Amino acid sequence: MALWLGTVDNVFWSYFNEELTTDDWDRYLAYFENFLKLCSDDAIRIIFTYNAQIPHATQRQELAEVFKRQQENTHKLIASAFITNLSTNKGANTAIDWLVKKPFLEKTFEIPVDGFAWLESTKTSFDRQRILTEIRKRVGSSIWPELAEQVRNAG
């Protein structure tokens, strides 16, 4: 499996560790669009990629279309952390953030603990332990080693 998705409270998280198939990407878009429809104010998005490339241009356009369709709901999203172990992904996502202005804060991180710390600084009710526990349950042995260490330290 390449993609895991989840929601804990008002936090949407996704985790992928391989190249996404078209079916995976469609599932991600549908889940995220539904989250935008149903979330309350002060929502957070966390994207983990482990040894996986960021979405290609067509996929990014499809994501932009989700944001356009959900324009009345995007104000609910206050922060998004893109956490990746690949420096090429970090550079590409940072460049995209410079070019595309979003209605929420977004930062890219190579170290999971840094991404969580930044998210916690944007929302006091963010519960790192609950997110980590959920990821551990869902992702299991496919989990990123640095993230697995955070799970152990949180538990």
Side-chain angles (χ1 to χ4, degrees):
M1 182 178 223
L3 173 68
W4 293 265
L5 302 165
T7 304
V8 175
D9 298 327
N10 215 24
V11 177
F12 165 79
W13 64 267
S14 61
Y15 183 102
F16 40 106
N17 63 357
E18 298 173 15
E19 295 305 310
L20 294 177
T21 66
T22 300
D23 288 344
D24 287 337
W25 184 247
D26 290 346
R27 191 165 55 96
Y28 171 83
L29 292 176
Y31 195 99
F32 182 58
E33 186 163 11
N34 191 56
F35 174 78
L36 285 174
K37 289 176 187 175
L38 300 176
C39 69
S40 57
D41 289 344
D42 299 334
I44 288 178
R45 175 177 70 163
I46 309 172
I47 303 166
F48 297 96
T49 68
Y50 182 67
N51 293 335
Q53 295 300 312
I54 63 172
H56 57 69
T58 301
Q59 291 170 325
R60 289 192 305 271
Q61 179 59 41
E62 292 168 345
L63 181 58
E65 290 169 11
V66 167
F67 279 112
K68 187 175 181 179
R69 283 193 304 271
Q70 292 302 317
Q71 189 171 5
E72 71 277 4
N73 293 317
T74 57
H75 71 279
K76 298 179 196 177
L77 193 60
I78 61 165
S80 176
F82 182 82
I83 304 171
T84 180
N85 68 315
L86 300 177
S87 57
T88 53
N89 285 354
K90 182 179 181 186
N93 203 59
T94 300
I96 291 167
D97 285 344
W98 289 338
L99 296 171
V100 179
K101 298 301 176 207
K102 298 175 181 149
F104 50 87
L105 299 171
E106 183 168 63
K107 285 187 82 171
T108 304
F109 303 90
E110 288 182 88
I111 300 170
V113 70
D114 294 345
F116 277 108
W118 178 74
L119 286 170
E120 288 168 337
S121 76
T122 67
K123 181 178 179 177
T124 57
S125 64
F126 180 78
D127 189 340
R128 180 191 306 207
Q129 186 168 352
R130 285 191 63 213
I131 297 298
L132 290 170
T133 299
E134 179 69 16
I135 291 170
R136 181 187 63 221
K137 285 179 188 173
R138 303 281 302 281
V139 177
S141 64
S142 297
I143 199 166
W144 180 351
E146 288 85 355
L147 194 55
E149 184 167 327
Q150 279 194 39
V151 170
R152 283 190 297 275
N153 293 339

